[in-house]
Each structure stands twice: as C-alpha cells, then as structure tokens.
Amino acid sequence: MKLVMLFGLFVAMTAPSPPPHFEFDGLKAGEQTTSESGPLQNANCSKRHRGKVVCRKVLSKVGGISVRGSLVTLKDGKLHKLFFAGDHSDHKRIREIVVARYGKPCGGAHTLNAEKVREGISTRTEKWCFATGTLYLSNRRYLSDQFGFEYLDDR
C-alpha cells in the first residue's frame, strides 16, 4: 500500500491484484499435464517437434452448447493453446459463461471485414488477461457465422 496525495488529501492506494492463472475444464495453465490422463485422456493427440503435443476433438460441449474444432496444444507438458468454435447464435451464452467465470474483459477490438465493408460485416473480439496468457472470444460474422474461443499462453 502507498499513500498518494489527491486534491490535497492523502489516499491509501493498493496495487491491483495480479490476474489469476487460466483454468478450463480441468486444464490449468502453468501446470504440468499429459495427454494420457485427465481431460485429454480420450482426445486424439499427436506429438510434434520442439516439445509440442497437439490434441484434437477435446471438447464437444461447453455449458450445454455444442462446439467444434476443439484443439489443445501442450508445450513442454504445459497448456499452450486451447481453441474451440461454435455457432454465432451461441456467442452470447458463451460470453455469459466466460464473464461469470473470469469477470469482465481487460480489452477488445471491433474490426470490419475488408471484403464485406459495404455489408457492415464485422468481428468483435474481447480479451481476458491472465498471469499465464490471454483468452480471446471473437464473434465472427463473416466466415461462417461462428464464435471463436482461444486461450494462448503468450507470457
């Protein structure tokens, strides 16, 4: 805690708490895990170069919502990336789940698809910051009307 003078008064300021570690469906960022046990034991995993393991078809539902394209990448035995997509109509529900679990986003962006500018088709991406990486939730209206959920260990 430090004291700061604000409008002639001393105010006690506390440093913001560090963001939590990312955790999802039994996968914990920063912790050792294997493709042979836990949430990845039934996934289709293959070893890649430089200490990476890629697992496909990890999830089929999240919060009762059907998802597709689920993928987990482990790097040196730790969660490096988690991705899945779903129908655009389920974006709002997935966002509610994410906000309930992780709180408000720490940032975001809204971009127009260059090929579809006249039609106003865009992508809204929000991000949640963690001590171990960043979670991105995108509402993509231009590819196949889907949302994308991606955690990336970028720290």
Side-chain angles (χ1 to χ4, degrees), residues 18 24 26 32 38 43 49 52 57 60 73 82 99 104 109 114 116 139 142 153:
F24 188 87
Q32 287 292 126
H49 66 287
K52 284 191 180 180
K57 299 181 182 176
S60 60
T73 302
L82 167 64
V99 169
K104 293 182 180 178
K116 303 282 186 175
N139 186 4
Y142 63 91
D153 181 347

Side-chain angles (χ1 to χ4, degrees), residues 40-83:
L40 300 178
Q41 66 187 358
N42 296 320
N44 178 10
C45 299
S46 62
K47 293 184 180 181
R48 303 286 170 96
H49 66 287
R50 297 185 183 180
K52 284 191 180 180
V53 173
V54 176
C55 301
R56 299 182 189 285
K57 299 181 182 176
V58 179
L59 302 165
S60 60
K61 287 193 178 281
V62 172
I65 297 168
S66 294
V67 297
R68 59 186 174 273
S70 63
L71 172 86
V72 169
T73 302
L74 303 177
K75 186 174 181 182
D76 300 324
K78 296 180 181 179
L79 178 64
H80 177 69
K81 180 179 182 176
L82 167 64
F83 174 83

Side-chain angles (χ1 to χ4, degrees), residues 19-29 59 62-63 79 82 84 92-105 128-130 135 137 149:
H21 289 277
F22 177 78
E23 181 180 351
F24 188 87
D25 200 30
L27 294 167
K28 296 178 183 179
L59 302 165
V62 172
L79 178 64
L82 167 64
F84 61 84
K92 182 178 179 182
R93 179 68 186 120
I94 286 290
R95 186 183 186 285
E96 289 170 354
I97 292 169
V98 171
V99 169
R101 175 82 189 242
Y102 306 117
K104 293 182 180 178
W128 282 258
C129 302
F130 297 90
L135 167 62
L137 183 62
F149 176 108

Side-chain angles (χ1 to χ4, degrees), residues 80-143:
H80 177 69
K81 180 179 182 176
L82 167 64
F83 174 83
F84 61 84
D87 292 332
H88 165 72
S89 60
D90 292 322
H91 174 266
K92 182 178 179 182
R93 179 68 186 120
I94 286 290
R95 186 183 186 285
E96 289 170 354
I97 292 169
V98 171
V99 169
R101 175 82 189 242
Y102 306 117
K104 293 182 180 178
C106 64
H110 195 134
T111 57
L112 286 174
N113 178 352
E115 296 173 7
K116 303 282 186 175
V117 169
R118 276 196 313 249
E119 298 164 26
I121 297 177
S122 64
T123 299
R124 189 178 94 223
T125 302
E126 294 176 289
K127 69 179 185 175
W128 282 258
C129 302
F130 297 90
T132 51
T134 307
L135 167 62
Y136 299 93
L137 183 62
S138 299
N139 186 4
R140 299 177 234 188
R141 294 290 315 267
Y142 63 91
L143 289 174

